[in-house]
Amino acid sequence: MASKPLPQPTELTAPYWRAAAEGRLALQHCRGCGRWIHFPEPRCAACGSDEFDWDEVSGRGTVATFSIVHRSFVAGFDGEPYVIAWIDLPEQPGLRVFGNVTGCAPEAVRIGMPVELWFERRGEMAMPNFRIIERGEQE
């Protein structure tokens, strides 16, 4: 099996990937209107500002929607089925991040399920992923 591909950071996405390599989930935070943004954008869709901070978010959230991938056409993802999901974060209504849900059988994943962030090391890079947490473990 081929190794999983690595992201190719651009000038726009480099702060995101640097933070991930440090074990942090940092997202664009608009200085103009305070809106959180993911995926990185050159301008805020709400106010048009191009002034951003890269601020850390909690990494805890809930599964908003997901898909179980049974057949991938990308080298390195040709093993067992896996789950990709949008995760709602509490920092702002509507703020979602994208990642794999791991640590459980794909058929166990449900919308509304609480998850927490963890990072998969791939050489110098780290990939944000999420794993299920029990409701009693939520803060």
Side-chain angles (χ1 to χ4, degrees), residues 16-17 20 25 41-42 44 49 51 62-63 77 85 88 91 98 107-108 128-129:
Y16 175 85
W17 292 113
L25 183 59
E41 295 289 340
C44 177
S49 175
E51 298 289 322
T62 57
V63 175
F77 292 97
D88 283 333
E91 281 78 6
F98 192 73
E107 59 273 7
N129 289 287

Side-chain angles (χ1 to χ4, degrees), residues 15-33:
Y16 175 85
W17 292 113
R18 267 194 306 276
E22 297 168 359
R24 300 180 303 111
L25 183 59
L27 304 180
Q28 283 179 315
H29 198 188
C30 179
R31 290 183 194 164
C33 68

Side-chain angles (χ1 to χ4, degrees), residues 60-134:
R60 286 185 170 237
T62 57
V63 175
T65 189
F66 67 96
S67 182
I68 300 173
V69 179
H70 292 275
R71 184 175 177 196
S72 177
F73 297 95
V74 177
F77 292 97
D78 49 0
E80 297 294 316
Y82 60 95
V83 177
I84 54 174
W86 281 104
I87 307 299
D88 283 333
L89 298 180
E91 281 78 6
Q92 170 184 294
L95 176 60
R96 289 183 172 165
V97 294
F98 192 73
N100 291 345
V101 177
T102 66
C104 67
E107 59 273 7
V109 177
R110 298 285 181 261
I111 292 172
M113 182 175 280
V115 293
E116 67 181 350
L117 178 70
W118 74 276
F119 289 93
E120 173 191 353
R121 296 295 315 179
R122 292 192 200 161
E124 297 294 315
M125 305 213 54
M127 304 299 296
N129 289 287
F130 294 86
R131 60 182 161 223
I132 295 170
I133 56 175
E134 298 299 320

